[in-house]
Amino acid sequence: MAVSSERPSGDGQLIDALIVGAGFAGMYMLHKLRGLGFNAKGVEAGSGVGGTWYWNRYPGARVDIQSLEYSFGFDEDLEKEWRWSERYAPQPELLNYAEHVADRFDLKRDIRFNTRVTAAHWDEAAQVWKVATDPGEALRCRHLILATGCLSVPTDVTFPGLDTFQGDIYRTSRWPHEGVDFSGRRVGIIGTGSSAIQSIPIIAEQAEHLTVFQRTPNYSMPAHNGPIPEAELEAWAKDPRAYRAASRDTVGGFQNEASEAMATLTAPEEVRAELERRWAWGGFRILGAFADTAVDPDANRIVQDFIAEKIRGQVADPAVADLLTPKDHPFGTKRPCVDTGYYATFNRPNVELVNLRAEPLVGFNAQGIETSKKAYAFDAVVLATGFDAMTGAIDRIDLRGVGGRRIKDHWAEGPRTYLGLMVAGFPNMFTITGPGSPSVLTNMINSIEQHVDWIADCLVALKQRQQTSIEASPEAEAAWCRHSTEAVTPTMLPQANSWYMGANVPGKPRMFMPYAGGLNTYTEICNQVAAKGYEGFIIR
Ligand code: N01
């Protein structure tokens, strides 16, 4: 998609807020602002609501936070009427939920679909944002709210000769709406992140043969997916408010039985029993087992060794098990994956693992993929190659703030924000789960609700004071960046070449982008800032 560099004409009707994106963040923001009497509208590049769950329709796609927690809590009736079928809902069900929310709150009438924002320029004299879209519309808004998602823009990764390949190419993040039938086909997949780890077991069941091209293995825990356990449903139904409050009052925005115990100070047999218990529970529960695994390499090594053993226990061929075992990053420094049958899939006779470290990928030809050692023929290739995370969707918009300063220039050394909510020099522009907020380190729905509520309160406060603009001060932004660095420095998070660090996009500045201080701490800070009259913001 070409990015317009033309100045948006801005002759459209002035609205209070334009919300870019109609995923969960954009939908709730629209609902909230309309309910408060603001004239708010949404624009969405896709043809429907749902964001992540609209685009990522690959086989096996499902949420990795339990659905009871990964769902809106802002409306009790909505909460009561919706029933999740499984612990970790699959993509079609999540998309149905998004549709249900949109219909229930009549959101679609205020969203322009198939509309991509290409440029937004701040007009200082008029104190409005002038916005251009790809159908060529000119919009004007007082507040621009970017609900554009953290993992919404695929990386531009390409391979020599890709367009000479005669078979089909699919991207997990742009999956055809009608689905894909791989029956009887020879399929290759590039990548072994979450998207690949979820889709590989399903594709392997269908395809005649599946070749997995792995550059770097990832840690993956079993989902043990299935119906939601009765005990969990009971705990939920007894007091959904308390359940949600408990989720929000955590580092990650989801219940994890986070322990204060130190692995290095606990008897090995107790450590083992605790890790086994959490592995059997499934998903991210193991992340909360010991308080020192995120900061102490020795403690982390204990969990690494435990997972390596689990991989060996699932994969029949020791050489394949070894290849699937991560060795280049501490556990938890890249987002761990949650799978259903991933490792065991490599025991199938129709599945082959290619180690791209030993035989680098050279490119595509008409028949398939060539590595330095061999040519592989395919009918279809799946690219599960990841996203330009956190900043990709924002800096693809020609965004210009005060004095025409471009966001790309402001972020040349990495994204700088105040609270992950606003950017100095970009008045009246909010980001929902933007860089500098806990976002991708948390249950996104809880982070989204916290951001939307905070932004809505802020706009109400401005309205009451009859003020028209709010902007992060450069000093507050700089202080937040320092605080964010301080929050992540004691951890091992910056040690991995992760998308958290921008390491998966050539040329992207290396900086740990999400706020690592925890959702509970972060929420407290945001509340204090608001209580102190929006400390650190310039309000006019
Ligand atoms: O992307 P990724 P993803 N040649 O960046 C490989 C969320 N998510 O879409 O690591 C060869 O993790 C790359 O290899 P390497 C979740 O937060 C959630 O899978 O760069 N390989 C890597 O293996 C997740 O973390 C859910 O060496 C190349 C893979 O492609 C995030 O989205 C489900 C390559 C990309 O993995 C991203 O996950 C899915 C090249 N040129 C996603 N370029 C759930 O809720 C890249 N790779 C469960």
Side-chain angles (χ1 to χ4, degrees), residues 53 58 62-64 151 157 159 190-196 198 215-216 218 334-335 356-357 384-387 499 504:
W53 306 109
Y58 60 83
R62 62 177 70 247
V63 65
D64 57 6
L151 294 157
V157 63
F159 299 91
I190 301 177
T192 47
S194 277
S195 304
Q198 289 189 327
R215 197 162 61 180
T216 317
N218 271 299
K334 284 182 169 185
R335 175 142 173 142
L356 293 180
R357 299 281 178 204
T385 42
F387 299 89
W499 56 255
N504 65 330

Side-chain angles (χ1 to χ4, degrees), residues 172-496:
T172 47
S173 53
R174 293 290 180 270
W175 204 257
H177 289 200
E178 64 281 10
V180 180
D181 183 3
F182 289 111
S183 304
R185 301 173 86 191
R186 297 160 305 164
V187 183
I189 182 165
I190 301 177
T192 47
S194 277
S195 304
I197 281 178
Q198 289 189 327
S199 54
I200 282 167
I202 314 280
I203 298 174
E205 280 172 14
Q206 271 184 16
E208 180 187 299
H209 193 272
L210 176 66
T211 308
V212 178
F213 292 91
Q214 170 185 275
R215 197 162 61 180
T216 317
N218 271 299
Y219 292 98
S220 188
M221 288 89 68
H224 298 312
N225 193 31
I228 303 172
E230 275 308 311
E232 197 82 9
L233 275 175
E234 273 168 32
W236 164 262
K238 213 158 69 188
D239 192 350
R241 300 294 94 205
Y243 193 99
R244 284 209 188 270
S247 296
R248 290 177 183 139
D249 188 20
T250 59
V251 168
F254 61 98
Q255 297 190 33
N256 198 19
E257 281 191 88
S259 166
E260 304 272 291
M262 303 289 180
T264 47
L265 301 178
T266 307
E269 59 279 11
E270 281 177 45
V271 171
R272 168 107 212 162
E274 185 60 8
L275 293 176
E276 286 286 4
R277 186 179 73 79
R278 288 173 183 259
W279 186 266
W281 203 95
F284 289 148
R285 190 100 344 175
I286 202 164
L287 281 166
F290 294 100
D292 50 354
T293 48
V295 293
D296 179 345
D298 292 335
N300 195 285
R301 166 61 59 193
I302 294 171
V303 184
Q304 289 177 48
D305 290 346
F306 176 81
I307 298 179
E309 191 189 313
K310 289 292 179 195
I311 296 171
R312 287 195 295 275
Q314 294 172 81
V315 180
D317 182 338
V320 174
D322 189 54
L323 279 181
L324 289 168
T325 304
K327 298 183 184 78
D328 73 323
H329 63 279
F331 172 69
T333 54
K334 284 182 169 185
R335 175 142 173 142
C337 308
V338 176
D339 72 273
T340 297
Y342 174 64
Y343 293 114
T345 297
F346 291 90
N347 298 331
R348 295 178 66 103
N350 68 334
V351 175
E352 174 184 10
L353 181 65
V354 174
N355 175 14
L356 293 180
R357 299 281 178 204
E359 48 175 309
L361 202 156
V362 175
F364 280 68
N365 57 30
Q367 280 73 44
I369 291 176
E370 282 178 36
T371 68
S372 61
K373 283 196 185 154
K374 203 175 150 185
Y376 298 82
F378 298 117
D379 302 306
V381 170
V382 176
L383 303 180
T385 42
F387 299 89
D388 184 353
M390 308 211 66
T391 55
I394 298 174
D395 69 20
R396 273 168 181 72
I397 301 173
D398 173 19
L399 267 173
R400 301 191 202 176
V402 174
R405 184 164 171 75
R406 292 168 195 264
I407 196 98
K408 256 187 179 300
D409 294 333
H410 190 71
W411 285 359
E413 286 163 23
R416 291 188 282 135
T417 67
Y418 180 33
L419 299 170
L421 278 162
M422 295 201 92
V423 181
F426 291 78
N428 290 7
M429 184 187 88
F430 294 90
T431 51
I432 303 184
T433 66
S437 77
S439 60
V440 291
L441 298 178
T442 69
N443 172 357
M444 288 300 270
I445 299 248
N446 279 340
S447 282
I448 285 168
E449 289 196 327
Q450 184 269 338
H451 265 195
V452 167
D453 292 344
W454 193 94
I455 294 168
D457 289 348
C458 174
L459 296 194
V460 169
L462 283 185
K463 200 175 184 180
Q464 283 167 350
R465 299 181 198 177
Q466 298 186 323
Q467 287 165 314
T468 51
S469 103
I470 178 164
E471 179 187 348
S473 77
E475 296 77 23
E477 185 182 85
W480 184 250
C481 291
R482 279 196 302 277
H483 171 66
S484 296
T485 305
E486 283 161 15
V488 77
T489 301
T491 76
M492 289 184 285
L493 283 162
Q495 291 180 20

Side-chain angles (χ1 to χ4, degrees), residues 155 385-389 497-506 508 510:
T155 53
T385 42
F387 299 89
D388 184 353
N497 288 321
S498 64
W499 56 255
Y500 296 146
M501 291 291 292
N504 65 330
V505 176
K508 192 165 174 170
R510 294 280 176 116

